[in-house]
Amino acid sequence: MTDTTQTLRIKLAGLVGQIYPDQDRELLIDRIVEAFWPDGTRPRRRARMPSNRLWSCEDSMVITYGNSFTDGQHKPLDLLNDFLHRHLAGTVGGVHILPFFPFTSDDGFAVTDYRMVNSNLGDWEDIRRIAGSFRVMSDLVLNHVSSQSHWFSEYRQGHPPYDRFFFEASPEDDLAPVVRPRTSPLLREVETANGPRHVWCTFSHDQVDLDFRNPEVLLEFLRIMRLHVENGVRIVRLDAVAFLWKEPGTPSIHMPETHAIVQLMRVLCDFAVEPIVLLTETNVPNHENLSYFGNRNEAHAVYNFSLPPLVLHALLSGTAEYLHRWQATMPPAQLGCAYLNFTASHDGIGMRPVEGLLPEEQIGDIIGAVRSFGGEVSMRSTVGGGETAYELNITWFDAMKGTLAGEDGWQVERFLCSQSIVMALEGFPAFYVHSLLATPNDHAGVEKTGIKRAINRHRWDYPALLALLENPESMQALVLRQMKRRIGIRRRQPAFHPNATQFTLHLERRLFGLWRQSLDRDQSIFALHNVSAEELSVSPLSINLIGGEDWVDLLSGERISPQGTDIPFAPYQCRWISNRDGVGREPG
């Protein structure tokens, strides 16, 4: 046994014992290593240690479906590749391609075959081609599988190993404590070769939950994870991972075994030759979400899920009070970890992450405004049989149409302010493609599908989109141009490294301010954002600009004097005031 194998096995042993105490530990470790490193692959000589070298200030991502662009002639993944190279090369370094596998529902999250690329999109060669120029994130949809998948068909016929792949329960079980994001019945009765069974369905009856108490399920997903890596994927998103381990009589969310499985995957990633980043998707209250960092031994990155609804509230209400209060208490990510910051994604704006952060009255005000801007609200079941708002369904650009007082003429400025906050925060930013393109609400999509989330999942006719982007007066061209400019400025600033020092500034309620300092302490940036439709000013003394240094607003190019007059802000204006302009360069 080599030193590498021995060290790896020691790290896996405790986790395997915790997850599967009744299994032959040594045999199962052998199988785990074989699943993740099949013939022709091998682990690193030693584990990759936690560090801040997995990402840099140049890192940002675009989130998109594989068929966000269509033309009826070319493969959608070819069109996506063209769009990325034509409009985002040199600006955005990574791309999250939402589930690109065959599926039956939920726009890809009810997978029928994990080993194939959906032929309506393209094939693995297209994924590899994109991965040759961009850092690709893929989804490991590991909590559930389509009810029309080969796996579930084999389960119903009683064929091993799939006869033990799905989680069964009884209507007589104590299911009242179970936490879930849907209002549909939890159990679905199905006929099998062994008689009627009730299978667990956290999300929908077409998405049947897998049973990770069976180690064969984990092993299969480790093989799938390796397949992704072999095809160029470098960020693996663990979809709905919080619900992985179930046990009647419990909330069946964030179970100890779930965290142990994430830790096991982290060990494998740290021993992988390829620089794999593990990202957990846990749309839950803030303190629960942060638990997936573990002790630097679980996810490399977590979504900053509280950020979207808090930024939305700040821009709609004109006060950063609650955004500031939350950010001031947020811990810096541990060494080797980072936040993924965003406002919009393929899903709606989740409201669970602001439980305890926003008063119910403020949440009600947001809901009212979103509905007035053409948005929808999706509900979830609560313990005791009630319902509450789970997410707001609206495109982010249309959510910026106005304030709590109604629509106004500041939509673009308000939108750019929201995205500038995302760019300035500790962590790395991700931008939904429909935010970059100022896509309006797709009401026709909702009417056609009956699904509220379709409002934010428009499919662009690619030639029509290109025509709009070639017209400098179009909203799409204007927003993409402004976004590329700000992302381009951001990616040159060492103080915007995902792990650079951050302090929340105590300013008046209409200003959300951060101080960022580069890892080498050479560059400071005071990132100030007016979240209101009012003109205001701030004294240079209140942000402690150091005398004797030249300061410049990176966004406007204006010189800022530490001893000068108050710094003015137009409605929704943002200023990134720095003593350096780009990597190691003095201003001017």
Side-chain angles (χ1 to χ4, degrees):
M1 181 185 299
T2 66
D3 290 342
T4 298
T5 305
Q6 184 177 13
T7 304
L8 175 59
R9 294 181 72 89
I10 290 171
K11 288 181 175 289
L12 291 174
L15 296 170
V16 169
Q18 179 182 348
I19 305 165
Y20 303 111
D22 299 329
Q23 296 288 322
D24 182 322
R25 186 177 308 186
E26 293 303 315
L27 177 59
L28 186 50
I29 291 172
D30 285 341
R31 299 189 66 201
I32 288 171
V33 172
E34 180 183 0
F36 198 72
W37 287 285
D39 292 342
T41 58
R42 57 180 177 79
R44 289 164 53 96
R45 292 182 59 188
R46 57 181 62 88
R48 187 178 289 103
M49 300 301 293
S51 73
N52 52 36
R53 294 190 296 272
L54 279 174
W55 36 68
S56 75
C57 57
E58 296 185 4
D59 281 304
S60 60
M61 302 199 73
V62 59
I63 305 166
T64 180
Y65 279 101
N67 62 349
S68 289
F69 311 115
T70 62
D71 67 358
Q73 296 181 0
H74 300 88
K75 293 183 293 184
L77 285 174
D78 268 349
L79 300 180
L80 173 59
N81 188 48
D82 181 78
F83 174 80
L84 292 171
H85 281 88
R86 187 190 296 246
H87 291 289
L88 295 178
T91 301
V92 171
V95 55
H96 173 199
I97 308 175
L98 288 153
F100 44 77
F101 317 103
F103 70 98
T104 52
S105 64
D106 199 15
D107 274 351
F109 286 92
V111 179
T112 58
D113 190 334
Y114 289 90
R115 297 183 174 278
M116 289 181 59
V117 172
N118 185 344
S119 60
N120 292 325
L121 301 179
D123 50 39
W124 280 114
E125 182 181 352
D126 298 304
I127 300 297
R128 291 192 297 270
R129 185 179 302 113
I130 294 172
S133 302
F134 297 87
R135 196 178 196 181
V136 170
M137 181 199 298
S138 69
D139 285 283
L140 198 63
V141 186
L142 72 175
N143 178 71
H144 48 260
V145 67
S146 169
S147 66
Q148 299 177 52
S149 65
H150 172 72
W151 291 4
F152 194 61
S153 175
E154 292 292 287
Y155 158 80
R156 296 184 67 172
Q157 296 176 63
H159 296 163
Y162 304 104
D163 57 335
R164 295 179 53 244
F165 259 44
F166 295 90
F167 197 96
E168 299 175 351
S170 166
E172 305 304 316
D173 290 335
D174 179 13
L175 304 177
V178 173
V179 173
R180 54 195 295 260
R182 298 291 186 271
T183 57
S184 56
L186 175 62
L187 300 184
R188 173 189 172 185
E189 184 175 0
V190 295
E191 290 296 329
T192 77
N194 299 311
R197 293 288 187 272
H198 289 86
V199 291
W200 192 291
C201 301
T202 297
F203 290 89
S204 78
H205 283 188
D206 188 40
Q207 294 163 293
V208 187
D209 285 33
L210 292 150
D211 190 353
F212 276 83
R213 295 175 302 180
N214 176 7
E216 297 297 332
V217 175
L218 174 63
L219 290 168
E220 185 62 18
F221 274 102
L222 295 182
R223 297 182 191 105
I224 293 166
M225 193 171 169
R226 168 51 59 181
L227 176 66
H228 287 210
V229 173
E230 291 296 322
N231 281 284
V233 169
R234 291 297 177 263
I235 305 178
V236 177
R237 177 183 184 268
L238 302 183
D239 176 66
V241 67
F243 304 99
L244 209 62
W245 199 274
K246 306 95 165 72
E247 187 176 325
T250 76
S252 295
I253 187 173
H254 315 312
M255 301 291 278
E257 293 86 353
T258 294
H259 283 282
I261 287 173
V262 177
Q263 291 171 31
L264 185 148
M265 290 180 168
R266 171 65 180 264
V267 169
L268 299 179
C269 290
D270 286 347
F271 270 93
V273 172
E274 305 84 358
I276 306 170
V277 171
L278 203 62
L279 172 70
T280 49
E281 187 264 333
T282 50
N283 192 356
V284 294
N286 192 53
H287 69 281
E288 299 174 29
N289 184 42
L290 294 179
S291 71
Y292 285 85
F293 278 142
N295 185 22
R296 300 192 307 175
N297 62 347
E298 292 191 35
H300 295 96
V302 301
Y303 282 89
N304 219 342
F305 272 114
S306 297
L307 183 61
L310 287 172
V311 170
L312 179 66
H313 174 267
L315 272 299
L316 296 188
S317 67
T319 173
E321 175 186 357
Y322 294 101
L323 176 63
H324 173 272
R325 186 181 301 174
W326 163 75
Q327 186 56 58
T329 63
M330 281 289 283
Q334 304 170 68
L335 183 65
C337 300
Y339 294 107
L340 186 148
N341 299 316
F342 71 111
T343 54
S345 73
H346 62 292
D347 289 338
I349 302 165
M351 299 308 291
R352 285 213 68 201
V354 287
E355 291 178 7
L357 300 178
L358 272 182
E360 288 299 321
E361 180 182 354
Q362 301 291 329
I363 293 175
D365 289 343
I366 293 174
I367 290 173
V370 165
R371 282 180 167 149
S372 74
F373 301 152
E376 305 274 356
V377 180
S378 295
M379 309 300 287
R380 71 176 180 90
S381 299
T382 58
V383 175
E387 289 186 3
T388 189
Y390 175 67
E391 68 180 17
L392 310 180
N393 304 113
I394 189 170
T395 69
W396 187 266
F397 189 68
D398 272 4
M400 298 288 102
K401 275 185 175 181
T403 67
L404 298 181
E407 295 187 23
D408 58 25
W410 296 104
Q411 183 177 16
V412 172
E413 291 82 359
R414 189 179 293 113
F415 170 80
L416 291 173
C417 179
S418 74
Q419 302 309 295
S420 299
I421 291 172
V422 168
M423 295 183 214
L425 280 168
E426 175 195 344
F428 55 92
F431 309 99
Y432 190 36
V433 69
H434 292 306
S435 292
L436 293 175
L437 296 173
T439 307
N441 290 329
D442 188 348
H443 294 292
V446 176
E447 185 175 351
K448 179 180 179 180
T449 64
I451 298 171
K452 293 178 180 179
R453 283 179 168 176
I455 200 170
N456 192 30
R457 298 176 177 178
H458 182 67
R459 304 288 185 252
W460 276 103
D461 175 73
Y462 196 52
L465 175 63
L466 291 181
L468 285 170
L469 293 177
E470 288 171 3
N471 174 8
E473 303 301 319
S474 76
M475 190 63 73
Q476 284 63 44
L478 171 65
V479 167
L480 182 59
R481 184 168 64 248
Q482 291 294 330
M483 286 292 290
K484 287 174 65 175
R485 177 179 176 273
R486 295 195 184 197
I487 297 169
I489 292 171
R490 180 198 182 275
R491 73 194 308 267
R492 298 196 305 267
Q493 315 307 324
F496 283 148
H497 184 286
N499 299 121
T501 299
Q502 173 176 289
F503 286 106
T504 310
L505 301 176
H506 296 275
L507 303 167
E508 68 139 286
R509 63 180 180 80
R510 293 171 295 177
L511 275 175
F512 179 65
L514 304 163
W515 174 63
R516 302 296 307 278
Q517 185 181 55
S518 59
L519 296 172
D520 63 6
R521 300 191 177 185
D522 187 54
Q523 184 188 35
S524 285
I525 296 178
F526 292 89
L528 310 176
H529 313 86
N530 179 6
V531 301
S532 78
E534 302 167 13
E535 295 182 357
L536 54 89
S537 60
V538 62
S539 167
L541 297 177
S542 68
I543 56 175
N544 299 318
L545 292 185
I546 300 171
E549 294 213 35
D550 292 324
W551 295 86
V552 66
D553 177 4
L554 299 172
L555 295 177
S556 71
E558 296 173 65
R559 298 280 183 165
I560 306 293
S561 171
Q563 291 81 34
T565 58
D566 286 357
I567 306 166
F569 283 80
Y572 304 107
Q573 183 175 1
C574 305
R575 292 186 183 272
W576 293 344
I577 302 171
S578 177
N579 62 337
R580 297 284 186 273
D581 180 8
V583 180
R585 293 186 298 160
E586 300 288 345

